[in-house]
């Protein structure tokens, strides 16, 4: 049993930082159906994201407001991640196992403000090209197969998290000569 159970609260000290080998490996698939332990760990990860976006809790526990968290970011060698995005319109919560991009748009997008990462304690300037739209196959918390179509910001967050499960960091995608140079011969537009 890992420590990431129902009554455990993930804080920044649990977040594996850049340099740790687990962030550079392709993590193992989770056997379906997931065990109670797998599910509890994943729900604990989602709760961290919710807590981190709650101003009172975040302030008290010094949490960075997180929108996505992959299992290897808390040291678990498992293909699973949580995403939590709140906007005026809606609240999006995902807890997924073994995600795979099955198709994607040719067109790309990027956040004009660049990306950061809960595992990276420094600013890394530059554009991170991402697919504008993706179709993802995964398994939900109950082990049921799901197909999810995403675009825009949510698609960017998913690609950032799925990269983690493959040992890829956001800055691997930034142009080495000029961090603000976009890929050539590519249909790419800023997200906003
Ligand atoms: C984040 N948070 O969680 F628009 F309430 C980033 C960090 C690195 C700055 C903490 C973030 O973008 N928060 C945010 C944005 C909003 C509104 C709001 C909170 N991640 C997730 C991560 O590191 N996962 O591994 C980085 C994002 C950069 C682009 C996609 C994920
Ligand atoms: Zn990250």
């Amino acid at each position: 049993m890992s420590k990431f159970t129902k009554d455990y609260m993930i804080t920044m000290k649990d977040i594996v930082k850049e340099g740790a080998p687990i962030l550079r490996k392709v993590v193992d698939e989770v056997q379906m159906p997931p065990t109670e332990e797998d599910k509890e760990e994943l729900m604990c990860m989602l709760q961290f994201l919710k807590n981190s976006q709650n101003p009172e809790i975040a302030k008290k526990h010094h949490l960075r407001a997180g929108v996505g968290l992959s299992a290897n970011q808390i040291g678990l060698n498992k293909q699973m991640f949580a995403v939590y995005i709140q906007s005026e319109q809606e609240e999006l919560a995902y807890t997924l196992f073994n995600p795979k991009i099955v198709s994607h748009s040719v067109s790309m997008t990027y956040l004009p403000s660049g990306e950061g990462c809960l595992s990276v304690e420094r600013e890394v300037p530059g554009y991170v090209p991402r697919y504008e739209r993706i179709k993802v196959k995964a398994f939900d918390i109950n082990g049921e197969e799901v197909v999810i179509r995403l675009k825009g910001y949510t698609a960017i967050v998913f690609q950032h998290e799925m990269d983690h499960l493959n040992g890829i960091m956001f800055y691997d995608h930034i142009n080495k000569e000029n961090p603000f140079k976009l890929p050539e011969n590519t249909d790419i537009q800023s997200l906003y």
Side-chain angles (χ1 to χ4, degrees):
M1 218 36 173
S2 79
K3 66 177 176 182
F4 305 109
T5 56
K6 277 195 285 301
D7 34 50
Y8 185 80
M9 185 179 163
I10 297 174
T11 64
M12 300 315 290
K13 71 175 185 330
D14 297 307
I15 308 286
V16 169
K17 302 302 173 343
E18 172 177 41
I22 197 159
L23 293 178
R24 285 306 195 177
K25 79 177 232 99
V26 179
V27 295
D28 292 346
E29 274 197 21
V30 179
Q31 199 189 305
M32 291 295 111
T35 63
E36 281 306 314
E37 179 174 32
D38 298 329
K39 293 197 255 185
E40 264 196 49
E41 289 165 346
L42 192 47
M43 292 313 293
C44 193
M45 288 164 58
L46 179 63
Q47 191 58 49
F48 164 77
L49 298 176
K50 291 183 178 183
N51 289 343
S52 77
Q53 291 183 44
N54 176 309
E56 291 79 43
I57 302 177
K59 190 175 175 198
K60 180 168 175 203
H61 298 278
H62 306 282
L63 308 178
R64 288 175 80 189
V67 289
L69 183 67
S70 302
N72 48 342
Q73 291 184 279
I74 54 166
L76 302 176
N77 179 18
K78 295 182 184 188
Q79 280 193 38
M80 58 186 196
F81 71 76
V83 164
Y84 185 69
I85 300 170
Q86 275 191 100
S87 70
E88 297 91 80
Q89 287 89 6
E90 55 187 350
E91 176 183 299
L92 290 173
Y94 291 99
T95 44
L96 296 172
F97 296 104
N98 305 338
K100 278 190 176 65
I101 295 182
V102 292
S103 63
H104 62 77
S105 58
V106 171
S107 56
M108 302 192 79
T109 187
Y110 61 94
L111 289 170
S113 51
E115 295 190 12
C117 180
L118 288 163
S119 297
V120 178
E121 294 178 309
R122 60 192 174 103
E123 294 283 310
V124 185
Y127 296 144
V128 180
R130 302 288 189 187
Y131 299 121
E132 188 169 34
R133 290 179 303 278
I134 55 174
K135 182 174 148 186
V136 174
K137 252 190 201 156
F139 294 85
D140 68 13
I141 197 79
N142 301 311
E144 306 273 7
E145 194 176 27
V146 290
V147 177
I148 308 165
R149 283 180 185 74
L150 301 159
K151 61 176 164 59
Y153 185 66
T154 315
I156 291 174
V157 177
F158 264 59
Q159 288 170 80
H160 179 111
E161 301 314 326
M162 290 169 72
D163 269 353
H164 276 307
L165 302 180
N166 289 302
I168 299 166
M169 301 295 286
F170 71 94
Y171 46 75
D172 298 345
H173 298 289
I174 298 175
N175 185 289
K176 300 290 173 295
E177 282 85 54
N178 175 357
F180 296 99
K181 192 168 132 21
L182 292 166
E184 281 165 27
N185 309 315
T186 304
D187 175 8
I188 182 162
Q189 239 117 77
S190 166
L191 184 67
Y192 54 87

